[in-house]
């Protein structure tokens, strides 16, 4: 079992590649790997309760930790109350900790 940290910066509503990236995350989690997804920049857009993007929503039902960057949310005027309840908020130091602990970090 490996540990993966995905940094998702792309908006799935405007970038077609995000669907395949979410599918990779799904497959890695289903294979027994420990997966965390950090949503940054426009990658936070599907994290709101009003957003519907099926490949992302599918991740909510997996054993995947989903977190949104506080600064990215603030820049897009998204309050924590607007987020899907399963999504936590964090600072980007989570990425540094993942690198130092030997996790495989993938930036999309």
């Amino acid at each position: 079992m490996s540990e993966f940290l995905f940094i998702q910066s792309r908006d799935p509503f405007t970038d077609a590649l995000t669907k395949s990236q979410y599918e990779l995350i799904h497959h890695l989690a289903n294979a027994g790997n420990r997966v965390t997804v950090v949503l940054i920049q426009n990658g936070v857009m599907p994290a709101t309760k009003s957003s519907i993007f099926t490949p992302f929503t599918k991740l909510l039902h997996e054993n995947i930790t989903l977190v949104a960057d506080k600064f990215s949310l603030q820049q897009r005027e998204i309050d924590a109350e607007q987020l899907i309840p399963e999504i936590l908020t964090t600072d980007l130091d989570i990425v540094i900790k993942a690198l130092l602990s030997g996790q495989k970090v993938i930036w999309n």
Side-chain angles (χ1 to χ4, degrees):
M1 178 175 92
S2 296
E3 291 187 48
F4 292 89
L5 181 118
F6 281 82
I7 303 168
Q8 185 61 44
S9 63
R10 298 178 182 180
D11 181 347
F13 303 109
T14 60
D15 191 325
L17 289 176
T18 57
K19 181 180 178 190
S20 62
Q21 293 161 355
Y22 291 147
E23 288 172 357
L24 173 60
I25 292 166
H26 169 77
H27 291 301
L28 287 170
N30 280 339
N33 296 294
R34 197 166 163 196
V35 181
T36 300
V37 179
V38 179
L39 305 170
I40 66 165
Q41 299 170 339
N42 288 335
V44 301
M45 300 312 289
T48 63
K49 295 174 187 173
S50 61
S51 296
I52 299 173
F53 188 71
T54 305
F56 179 79
T57 305
K58 191 175 177 181
L59 300 179
L60 297 170
H61 307 291
E62 302 291 335
N63 189 24
I64 297 170
T65 303
L66 294 161
V67 296
D69 170 49
K70 291 177 185 177
F71 182 74
S72 297
L73 293 170
Q74 180 184 30
Q75 291 296 302
R76 285 148 189 85
E77 298 182 358
I78 300 172
D79 294 325
E81 297 82 36
Q82 294 174 278
L83 294 178
I84 297 167
E86 293 86 355
I87 299 175
L88 308 170
T89 59
T90 189
D91 294 313
L92 285 182
D93 62 342
I94 189 173
V95 176
I96 296 166
K97 291 176 184 175
L99 288 166
L100 291 174
S101 70
Q103 291 184 34
K104 294 170 179 72
V105 177
I106 301 166
W107 189 310
N108 293 313

